Amino acid sequence: MSDIAPNRFAQVALDVPMAHLGASLFDYSIAAAFAGVVAVGSWVVVPWGQGRRVGVVAGLSDHCEIDAARVKPLLAVLEDAPLLPASWLELARFCADYYHRGIGEVTLPAIPKLLRTPPSARPRGSAFARARERFAPPASARAASVPPELNEAQRSALDALRAADGFAVFLLHGITGSGKTEVYLHWLDEVLARDARCQVLLLVPEIALTPQLAAQVAARFPAHSVAVLHSDLADSDRAAHWLAAVEGRARVVIGTRLAVLAPLPALAAIVVDEEHDASYKQQEGVRYSARDLAIVAASQRKVPIALGSATPSLESWHAARRGRYRLLALPERVGGAQLPTLERVDLRGRKLRHELAPESIEAIGAALARGEQALVFINRRGYAPVLACESCGWLSRCSDCSAYRVLHRVGAARPARYRLVCHHCSAEQPVPRACPDCGNVDLTALGRGTQRLEEGLAELFPGHRIARLDRDVARTRGAAQKVIDAAHAGDVDILVGTQMLAKGHDFRRLTLVVAVDSDGGLFSSDFRAPERMFATLMQVAGRAGREPQRGEAAQRLGRVIVQTRFPDHPLFEYLARHDYAGFADAQLAERREVGLPPYRFQVLLRAEAVTQAEALAFLAQARALGESLLPSATPAGLARASADSLRDGAVALLDPVPMAMSRLAGRERAQLLIEASARPPLHAFLRAWLDGLRELRSQVRWQLDVDPLEI
């Protein structure tokens, strides 16, 4: 032990599934050679099993809970890596505690893979040195832009933001086309001017929104380097931009949800654009909300944060109504542009062509005749939702999921080629030549997705330029941006796509939006479905008529056609009036009455196993264990869970049930919902409950989802 520094140990965060192990950090001894080098925030290489891992030192100690002779030593310190700031570890600890996961599980996946690969697995040379050399901020396609004049509402919002001293949360509720981005940019410009070192963070929900925003920011702030962070970047580019942000060389950081976990040493302001968007909630691994973590980071760093949306989440709207957030309103479109008119087309008893009513086809033709653009929105990708046999009733069910495999057209070759693809497990198969059950060769594609709608529009409007944007297109790197650039350049007449087209795009020639299938969220069992549906329709409708009209063109206002079989539904009444506030307040009243978020807090325990019976049996055990920890249970149970924080009736466990998608990728899934009237007793319960869950002997895989968006 002579080569080990006396009584010195490092607590190292590693990306391993600690929620099931019950650990958060791992102890390693510090060799004498590293005693003066290792600090909190250092990057280290440690032994793990038969291999090596890169971890981050989250703490130092003079003692260890286990026998020091059994503690393995650190193997190396990455001395060319930047020391990660204490503020980053503070946010990581909060995230790990709130979502009940390990610190390494939270933080390490957000670090680019090239930088957290053990040195022996890397090519020659330092990954950090190569990343520093590679950083190239996004260039603007135009000269430095002059900020436009703000209108009165924008100036009022800007005045409120610039007056913020320390932590404050602002909810910027601006109708579509009201100039929220200009308010952000004016504010961030002033923040950057106050301190030559400070940094600002701008979060967006979709990768497709980052290129145009990065170019806009680069043109507005030519003196400041801009870093872009999202998962679609090449590994080397992501490492270069991340390192520039962490070392303070990039003063503006633009990114999707993973950017909230970037360690920015001089953070001075945060913007979360389209804050309502479900994309901010991670759906794999640690299921964190980037919007919520951004608010926590602002609080910890004592900086202001602006949340912007035309359709705020009901949680944010509720917080603003209660005065926890300051509400800033932008009630008018910039430049005098008018909100589009909304028309409901009743589909009951109507004959459609390619899913389009005659009124919709006529409106598209009229817009094209005027040299304008039209957007046709349908929130289903693929060619057709299902392939069917009309003779025996066979359907293209996925063999591994409780879902249908969707018919997809492959490529643009003629004759067309097709595949059946499951949108849940990604399994693919060729289209059968005949029905697998009865041998009928006449199989029918039922319904329409974006591909089939694109094909139908080409038939209805020959000679016009049609472009599609959905997840299938966006899967090819750079393809989504090509579609968006072509639309901005006027090289597209009809855009067809999913909700990817609803967010943040400013197509100046687009005057018509047709929503093809608008009824999906009206009668769903998911209590959030109306909120999501209203937000999507209002956002996609907001793409129309954004160009200020003057002279004769003033008569051509934006127009939105919503095709529905329930034209009198109250949701469409609010939508026709562009009345988000009325809709949100009505939804909140309903949720208050039945005790749903934001008036109660929820956690899901999800389980998956070979059979549904195994999954449900595990959850039944988990529920029994949980009930034993509640205040009405035995004194022994109360000793494990704090009796002071677990107030009687504050926490409730519902019955285990199969998930709506009960089978996924060959595994059966079930869930158990936990609800509470306040967060402190809920998290006190979860900490005690998790200790017991780890002791249950089972082959079932399980995980917690705190504040779930999908139940």
Side-chain angles (χ1 to χ4, degrees), residues 161 166-171 295 298 303-307 324-327:
L161 291 169
F167 171 64
V169 183
F170 296 90
L171 180 60
I295 294 171
V303 302
I305 178 171
L307 313 177
R324 290 181 52 232
Y325 300 170
R326 181 169 176 185
L327 183 62

Side-chain angles (χ1 to χ4, degrees), residues 118-134:
S120 61
R122 295 174 183 154
R124 295 184 63 183
S126 164
F128 294 92
R130 292 196 304 275
R132 290 185 181 100
E133 293 172 358
R134 186 177 179 84

Side-chain angles (χ1 to χ4, degrees), residues 314-638:
L314 291 186
E315 286 80 5
S316 296
W317 187 255
H318 178 59
R321 287 297 205 209
R322 292 174 57 201
R324 290 181 52 232
Y325 300 170
R326 181 169 176 185
L327 183 62
L328 307 176
L330 300 179
E332 298 178 354
R333 284 186 158 185
V334 295
Q338 299 298 305
L339 284 169
T341 59
L342 186 138
E343 306 164 28
R344 285 162 280 183
V345 173
D346 189 348
L347 298 183
R348 290 174 294 186
R350 304 292 300 279
K351 185 176 181 179
L352 307 180
R353 292 184 64 194
H354 305 293
E355 291 293 307
L356 294 170
E359 296 95 326
S360 300
I361 295 172
E362 181 183 352
I364 294 171
L368 297 178
R370 294 192 300 266
E372 299 164 359
Q373 290 174 324
L375 187 159
V376 183
F377 170 77
I378 182 170
N379 216 18
R380 289 195 305 266
R381 62 189 175 96
Y383 188 82
V386 66
L387 190 66
C389 173
E390 295 184 353
S391 294
C392 70
W394 173 86
L395 298 171
S396 55
R397 289 187 176 90
C398 179
S399 58
D400 295 322
C401 301
S402 304
Y404 297 108
R405 291 189 178 172
V406 177
L407 186 65
H408 276 251
R409 188 181 65 227
V410 181
R414 296 296 182 203
R417 295 187 303 112
Y418 297 92
R419 302 277 292 176
L420 290 171
V421 181
C422 178
H423 287 180
H424 301 278
C425 71
S426 300
E428 296 188 24
Q429 70 181 79
V431 174
R433 294 179 180 275
C435 174
D437 288 352
C438 72
N440 175 32
V441 296
D442 294 324
L443 299 179
T444 304
L446 300 180
R448 291 182 185 273
T450 50
Q451 290 181 329
R452 195 175 188 185
L453 185 56
E454 177 187 27
E455 188 176 272
L457 287 166
E459 179 183 317
L460 290 169
F461 303 103
H464 287 282
R465 300 162 295 181
I466 301 172
R468 173 171 55 89
L469 182 56
D470 54 26
R471 296 280 178 205
D472 297 320
V473 172
R475 191 173 291 120
T476 301
R477 183 170 291 166
Q481 191 57 38
K482 287 182 180 178
V483 172
I484 293 167
D485 289 343
H488 282 299
D491 296 332
V492 173
D493 300 317
I494 304 175
L495 281 163
V496 57
T498 61
Q499 61 182 350
M500 291 186 72
L501 285 170
K503 305 171 185 177
H505 302 297
D506 190 12
F507 303 119
R508 309 302 282 184
R509 289 180 52 238
L510 197 151
T511 60
L512 174 68
V513 169
V514 176
V516 170
D517 184 3
S518 307
D519 298 333
L522 293 180
F523 306 104
S524 171
S525 59
D526 183 352
F527 72 89
R528 296 185 190 275
E531 177 187 2
R532 286 196 293 264
M533 179 179 170
F534 185 88
T536 298
L537 289 176
M538 180 167 269
Q539 293 281 345
V540 75
R543 300 314 104 198
R546 297 168 72 94
E547 179 71 20
Q549 304 291 343
R550 297 175 177 83
E552 293 182 5
Q555 303 304 315
R556 298 200 300 267
L557 298 177
R559 185 180 178 191
V560 178
I561 295 176
V562 174
Q563 298 189 162
T564 174
R565 289 177 173 79
F566 306 94
D568 298 324
H569 193 283
L571 183 146
F572 294 124
E573 296 290 340
Y574 289 115
L575 193 66
R577 298 195 301 266
H578 303 279
D579 183 11
Y580 168 80
F583 170 79
D585 290 341
Q587 286 286 301
L588 286 173
E590 289 182 14
R591 292 193 188 182
R592 183 190 301 111
E593 185 175 344
V594 297
L596 289 171
Y599 300 98
R600 285 181 70 82
F601 304 96
Q602 297 180 329
V603 173
L604 268 183
L605 175 62
R606 290 189 172 95
E608 61 175 63
V610 175
T611 67
Q612 186 66 233
E614 288 179 282
L616 289 171
F618 170 81
L619 293 179
Q621 282 185 286
R623 185 174 189 268
L625 172 65
E627 288 182 331
S628 73
L629 298 173
L630 298 179
S632 58
T634 63
L638 285 175

Side-chain angles (χ1 to χ4, degrees), residues 630-680:
L630 298 179
S632 58
T634 63
L638 285 175
R640 297 181 66 190
S642 168
D644 292 332
S645 60
L646 290 176
R647 300 191 307 276
D648 190 24
V651 178
L653 292 87
L654 279 64
D655 290 331
V657 294
M659 293 180 64
M661 175 69 64
S662 61
R663 182 174 174 82
L664 178 66
R667 304 276 294 183
E668 296 292 336
R669 308 191 304 162
Q671 63 189 21
L672 169 64
L673 182 64
I674 306 96
E675 293 186 325
S677 55
R679 282 196 177 100

Side-chain angles (χ1 to χ4, degrees), residues 5 30-39:
I30 304 173
F34 300 139
V37 178
V38 177

